């Protein structure tokens, strides 16, 4: 059940104090005896808040130093592209990153206008540079994604432009924690004050101009310019707010842009489903302002602070990421003429993708949760589009070559506009055409509290640990703990029946586990499946712990 404040404007007492947050970033230091305060790379980088010592100057400096130490063996010998979003902690963290890069003699590619740089723009820049240079570049993006305003985050993108794989991030995490512990013993790392950095250590780069100009290589901008759908863009105060202005001007599009001013408090937001302030463009509560105005527009779109996620709104409401991914794949494979590509999905994505692909005879690459698993598949052109149930996706350019190897919320939003312009129908209507005859699934997720020990056990669970034989009266047909593609661990368990499935995975930041589920038995069937799934997993963990 949603919180009583869900969808309501943020109240004054819940607006962050930026100065207090920034002061804590420099003043607080992690307690090295507390594992929760050490560097920890989750699905996408290290995240935390300065208020409890989980995201501080020391964390960011140690991570950057570790990247400098290891990037050569990761294949990067050229410059490093640096981007950051609009979270309050991203600004001091940018200074920390630049100081350590300079101290290590690594050239930083910084925005020519001293503006914010979204995640997909960094990925695009790495790919663009490496296509014509022998010395390969990599990237750092300073962002906690859609997390609350008092959070900070930092992640590393490898030479293929995408999120670094687990081997690299584990190396960085281990090395960074060595620096964190050593610093507390008065041993430091290489660093030059921001005021003393030589000009040649920071090269201005036109991230926005190049990205916007190249959009016609991936999106049918001519169709948008001709049809001129009326679109509402919710910039959500994020790093791509200037990009939307530039896109509108460059291509003369019919769009109104809201929440396009920098406000690190995100005071314009509405509360999310749980009463927290979270800039999640795939949440109907966080997008409440847009949904209220949709009657004046053909469709509306939004992005989270680092612009790697998307939200699509039609007259029917917020489109689910699963529905959009299915409809987008169908549209792209039809209009782009791809004949030698597959489609990528994570283990918690809808099986409608599989049903659609089977009819089209298109291979499906099912991977664990995390966009990093799509990076090489996109880079090598094995898949035309790869996406997650959490509203992250990217796809290839019109000519079948790579665009980004990280999630790109802007091109996904533009794709929704293109689909409307070309097909004359919104995404939800196109999706409904696909599900006819296949059944209309219901997808959802619940969270269940558990101990740290139970979380650790869940990641190592075996299929044999599940002793149940049915879910909501339906016989279990398959239990697995690995992905279909390359048999990689999914850090949890997937249980399937003829009418649905559920996946249980531990949270990376909280003492709980998440249960994702999809049922072809309607809304009641979904509730029953998730409820049964929680009972089944809890029983397995009780036996194991």
């Amino acid at each position: 059940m949603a919180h009583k404040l869900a969808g309501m404007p943020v109240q004054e007492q819940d607006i962050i104090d930026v100065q207090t947050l920034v002061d804590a970033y420099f003043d607080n230091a992690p307690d090295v005896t507390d594992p929760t305060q050490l560097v920890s790379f989750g699905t996408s980088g290290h995240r935390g808040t300065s208020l409890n010592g989980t995201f501080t100057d020391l964390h960011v400096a140690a991570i950057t130093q570790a990247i400098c130490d290891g990037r050569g063996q990761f294949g990067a010998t050229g410059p490093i592209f640096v981007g950051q979003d609009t979270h309050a902690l991203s600004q001091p963290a940018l200074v920390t990153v630049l100081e350590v890069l300079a101290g290590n003699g690594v050239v930083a590619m910084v925005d020519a206008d001293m503006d914010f740089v979204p995640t997909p723009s960094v990925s695009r820049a790495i790919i663009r540079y490496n296509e014509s240079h022998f010395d390969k570049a990599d990237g750092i993006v300073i962002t906690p994604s859609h997390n609350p305003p008092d959070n900070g985050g930092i992640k590393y993108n490898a030479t293929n432009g995408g999120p670094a794989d687990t081997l690299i991030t584990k190396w960085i995490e281990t090395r960074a924690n060595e620096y964190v512990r050593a610093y507390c013993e008065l041993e430091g790392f290489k660093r030059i004050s921001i005021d003393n950095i030589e000009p040649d250590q920071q090269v201005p780069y036109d991230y926005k101009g190049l990205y916007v100009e190249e959009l016609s290589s991936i999106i049918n901008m001519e169709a948008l310019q001709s049809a001129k759908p009326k679109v509402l863009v919710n910039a959500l105060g994020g790093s791509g707010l200037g990009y939307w202005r530039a896109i509108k001007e460059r291509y003369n599009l019919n769009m109104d842009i809201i929440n396009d001013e920098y406000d690190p408090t995100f005071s314009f937001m509405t509360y999310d489903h749980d009463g927290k302030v979270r800039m999640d463009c795939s949440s109907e509560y966080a997008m409440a302002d847009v949904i209220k105005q949709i009657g004046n527009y053909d469709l509306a779109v939004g992005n989270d602070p680092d612009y790697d996620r998307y939200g699509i709104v039609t007259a029917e409401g917020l489109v689910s990421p699963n529905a959009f991914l299915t409809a987008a794949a169908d549209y792209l494979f039809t209009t782009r003429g791809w004949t030698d590509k597959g489609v990528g999905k994570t283990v918690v994505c809808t099986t409608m993708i599989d049903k659609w692909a089977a009819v089209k005879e298109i291979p499906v690459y099912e991977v664990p949760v995390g966009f990093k698993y799509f990076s090489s598949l996109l880079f090598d052109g094995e898949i035309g589009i790869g996406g997650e149930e959490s509203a992250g996706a990217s796809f290839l350019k019109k000519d079948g070559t790579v665009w980004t190897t990280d999630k790109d919320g802007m091109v996904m939003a533009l794709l929704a506009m293109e689909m409307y312009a070309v097909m004359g129908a919104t995404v939800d209507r196109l999706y409904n055409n696909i599900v006819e005859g296949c059944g209309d699934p219901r997808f959802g997720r619940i969270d269940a509290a558990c101990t740290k020990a139970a979380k650790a056990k869940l990641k190592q669970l075996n299929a044999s640990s599940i002793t149940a034989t049915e879910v909501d009266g339906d016989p279990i047909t398959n239990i697995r703990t690995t992905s279909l593609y390359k048999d990689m661990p999914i850090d949890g368990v997937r249980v399937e029946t003829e009418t649905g499935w559920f996946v249980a995975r531990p949270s990376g930041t909280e003492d709980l586990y998440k249960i994702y589920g999809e049922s072809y038995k309607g809304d009641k069937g979904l509730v029953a499946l998730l409820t049964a799934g929680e009972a089944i997993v809890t029983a397995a963990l009780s036996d194991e712990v």
Side-chain angles (χ1 to χ4, degrees):
M1 180 179 293
H3 192 277
K4 64 181 180 180
L5 293 175
M8 302 293 290
V10 174
Q11 299 175 2
E12 186 174 353
Q13 65 266 26
D14 291 327
I15 297 175
I16 63 169
D17 184 322
V18 172
Q19 193 57 55
T20 298
L21 198 63
V22 173
D23 287 345
Y25 173 82
F26 291 107
D27 295 341
N28 288 350
D31 177 358
V32 296
T33 65
D34 182 355
T36 66
Q37 294 189 33
L38 293 176
V39 173
S40 177
F41 270 69
T43 304
S44 187
H46 174 78
R47 297 175 183 174
T49 176
S50 60
L51 299 179
N52 65 8
T54 55
F55 188 85
T56 67
D57 175 70
L58 180 54
H59 286 105
V60 177
I63 290 169
T64 308
Q65 181 64 57
I67 290 171
C68 290
D69 291 349
R71 62 193 298 264
Q73 59 185 288
F74 307 150
T77 56
I80 191 162
F81 289 86
V82 181
Q84 92 281 13
D85 75 2
T86 50
H87 276 79
L89 286 176
S90 294
Q91 310 327 304
L94 175 64
V95 174
T96 304
V97 167
L98 294 178
E99 289 184 344
V100 175
L101 291 178
N104 285 269
V106 178
V107 174
M109 308 296 281
V110 297
D111 189 76
D113 299 323
M114 300 301 290
D115 202 354
F116 306 104
V117 183
T119 287
S121 192
V122 172
S123 179
R124 183 77 201 118
I126 295 170
I127 293 169
R128 186 187 300 120
Y129 181 92
N130 288 345
E131 284 174 344
S132 58
H133 290 78
F134 179 76
D135 58 326
K136 301 306 179 186
D138 48 2
I140 292 175
V141 188
I142 304 162
T143 174
S145 188
H146 61 290
N147 280 18
D150 65 357
N151 276 218
I154 180 171
K155 58 184 181 179
Y156 176 66
N157 281 34
T159 56
N160 68 359
D165 65 32
T166 305
L167 289 176
I168 291 177
T169 56
K170 193 63 181 177
W171 191 96
I172 293 172
E173 176 186 303
T174 302
R175 186 78 162 189
N177 280 324
E178 291 174 359
Y179 279 112
V180 169
R181 295 187 178 96
Y183 185 86
C184 293
E185 297 168 2
L186 303 183
E187 295 179 27
F189 28 70
K190 301 172 185 176
R191 186 169 182 172
I192 295 175
S193 170
I194 194 73
D195 296 325
N196 296 324
I197 296 177
E198 296 294 330
D200 60 355
Q201 285 296 115
Q202 295 181 8
V203 177
Y205 188 79
D206 187 14
Y207 285 94
K208 180 170 58 183
L210 292 169
Y211 179 96
V212 172
E213 191 63 32
E214 290 177 337
L215 282 173
S216 57
S217 69
I218 185 170
I219 296 293
N220 186 347
M221 302 305 292
E222 295 84 1
L224 286 182
Q225 291 168 322
S226 176
K228 284 195 178 300
K230 189 176 183 183
V231 181
L232 177 61
V233 176
N234 187 0
L236 272 174
S239 55
L241 52 87
Y243 284 63
W244 277 121
R245 296 195 203 108
I247 291 168
K248 176 181 179 179
E249 180 180 350
R250 167 65 179 81
Y251 297 100
N252 190 28
L253 301 182
N254 183 17
M255 40 171 81
D256 292 334
I257 307 171
I258 62 172
N259 298 323
D260 61 340
E261 298 296 331
Y262 173 52
D263 176 7
T265 69
F266 295 93
S267 59
F268 55 84
M269 284 298 301
T270 49
Y271 290 100
D272 204 357
H273 67 95
D274 54 1
K276 294 183 179 180
V277 183
R278 189 181 290 109
M279 292 70 71
D280 183 358
C281 53
S282 65
S283 163
E284 62 181 302
Y285 301 105
M287 291 279 280
D289 281 347
V290 168
I291 294 173
K292 283 191 301 185
Q293 301 180 57
I294 191 60
N296 300 319
Y297 297 89
D298 294 315
L299 73 158
V301 300
N303 300 110
D304 68 331
D306 74 317
Y307 273 51
D308 68 347
R309 295 188 182 207
Y310 61 84
I312 311 297
V313 178
T314 72
E316 301 300 317
L318 187 73
V319 179
S320 81
N322 276 320
F324 185 42
L325 182 60
T326 305
D330 182 65
Y331 174 81
L332 287 170
F333 274 86
T334 300
T335 59
R336 299 325 193 240
W338 296 330
T339 57
D340 60 344
K341 312 293 182 189
V343 61
K345 53 167 276 190
T346 67
V347 70
V348 294
C349 274
T350 177
T351 50
M352 278 303 304
I353 291 284
D354 305 87
K355 292 175 181 288
W356 163 83
V359 172
K360 299 284 187 176
E361 298 184 338
I362 293 170
V364 176
Y365 294 76
E366 184 214 76
V367 300
V369 173
F371 203 82
K372 58 191 173 187
Y373 298 104
F374 295 129
S375 297
S376 61
L377 292 170
L378 285 165
F379 192 82
D380 296 334
E382 291 188 66
I383 59 175
I385 181 173
E388 304 175 310
E389 54 74 37
S390 56
S394 191
F395 55 98
L396 300 178
K397 293 192 288 186
K398 295 176 188 175
D399 64 2
T401 60
V402 65
W403 169 254
T404 60
T405 46
D406 210 330
K407 297 175 283 190
D408 192 334
M410 279 182 289
V411 299
M412 295 305 293
L414 286 164
L415 179 63
M417 299 179 208
E418 177 189 328
M419 292 164 68
Y420 183 87
V422 173
M423 304 300 292
T426 54
V427 171
D428 45 8
R429 292 184 181 179
L430 296 174
Y431 174 73
N432 289 337
N433 292 337
I434 298 173
V435 301
E436 285 183 7
C438 295
D440 188 5
R442 297 291 185 269
F443 179 90
R445 195 194 92 185
I446 60 173
D447 297 335
C450 67
T451 64
K452 289 181 173 61
K455 284 171 58 179
K457 289 291 185 181
L458 178 53
K459 290 184 70 171
Q460 302 299 324
L461 211 61
N462 295 317
S464 59
S465 301
I466 303 297
T467 57
T469 58
E470 63 177 40
V471 180
D472 186 32
D474 296 319
I476 292 175
T477 58
N478 191 30
I479 303 172
R480 55 188 171 91
T481 57
T482 59
S483 63
L484 295 179
Y485 176 62
K486 287 194 173 180
D487 204 31
M488 295 178 281
I490 61 173
D491 292 339
V493 62
R494 179 180 170 106
V495 177
E496 302 170 357
T497 71
E498 291 291 342
T499 60
W501 57 267
F502 73 82
V503 171
R505 298 182 67 253
S507 167
T509 56
E510 301 174 88
D511 288 337
L512 54 85
Y513 65 88
K514 305 172 183 179
I515 303 177
Y516 307 79
E518 184 175 57
S519 173
Y520 285 81
K521 295 166 66 175
D523 293 329
K524 290 183 179 180
L526 174 62
V527 172
L529 180 142
L530 292 173
T531 302
E534 180 179 358
I536 290 169
V537 174
T538 298
L541 293 178
S542 297
D543 292 340
E544 290 284 318
V545 176

